[in-house]
Amino acid sequence: MSRIGKKPVPLPPGVKVNLSGRSVEITGPKGKLNWQVPEPITVALKDNQVVCTRPDDQKRSRALHGTSRALIANMVKGVAEGYRIDLEVYGTGYGCKLEGKTFLLNVGYMGRGIGRKAQFEIPVPPGLEIKVDAPVARGDNEPAKFSVSGPDKQQVGAFAADIRKLRKPEPYKGKGIRYAGEHIRRKAGKVFAGGGSGG
């Protein structure tokens, strides 16, 4: 990790960094992020680059050095370009839509949440954006599609994972919410389910 920590983080056009004590504030076209630098790492601006340094070669210092540099690099990329995770909803009739800052999700459950319109009303957290590309699933080859995006990599990933947990893909028909491109290992159904021995 120490070799990663030594690499400066270049600032792309439009990104500004403000250092105040142990606080790092990074602002860019996609938003603003704040982070507290852990002891004993120090952060400085040199030649339009963010540089992380450590005072010694203790194991903890080396680990925090690399971690700090990686987190700052993620913040810089986040405010400059943003992060995006695409998800797909499989199951005929399943769907999703956005009403203001509330994400409505219908994934086959009955009698829950807001009833038959949708089973889940999910408030979109500040700093995140949901975009619906295809609102209704029309078969195995035409899933409903939406994306979660924002400047904070951890927040985007955690929110997308929370939505996926609401209806994880089941292994028989593949119904559920999955990441775009995610491969689901399918199981064969029980061909003789309910059949007797005949004797």
Side-chain angles (χ1 to χ4, degrees), residues 9-49:
V9 180
L11 299 180
V15 174
K16 296 180 180 179
V17 174
N18 181 40
L19 304 177
S20 178
R22 306 208 67 79
S23 176
V24 177
E25 180 182 271
I26 304 180
T27 308
K30 297 295 184 179
K32 180 170 66 175
L33 296 173
N34 292 277
W35 184 59
Q36 291 294 119
V37 182
E39 294 276 5
I41 306 303
T42 57
V43 176
L45 268 176
K46 295 180 181 179
D47 301 323
N48 205 40
Q49 295 179 321

Side-chain angles (χ1 to χ4, degrees), residues 9-10 15 36 49-50 52 55 61 64 66-67 74 97-98 100 108 116 127 147 151 167 173-174 177 191:
V9 180
V15 174
Q36 291 294 119
Q49 295 179 321
V50 181
C52 298
S61 297
L64 287 175
T67 299
N74 288 343
K97 64 179 179 178
L98 190 65
R116 294 176 181 270
S147 64
R167 188 69 187 244
K173 294 184 179 180
I177 306 167
V191 178

Side-chain angles (χ1 to χ4, degrees), residues 1-7 22 37-44 46 51-69:
M1 292 295 284
S2 61
R3 284 178 292 179
I4 295 175
K6 291 178 181 177
K7 294 178 64 177
R22 306 208 67 79
V37 182
E39 294 276 5
I41 306 303
T42 57
V43 176
K46 295 180 181 179
V51 180
C52 298
T53 56
R54 66 176 190 268
D56 53 53
D57 285 331
Q58 296 292 325
K59 184 177 180 180
R60 181 175 182 274
S61 297
R62 294 200 309 270
L64 287 175
H65 192 197
T67 299
S68 298
R69 190 270 176 195

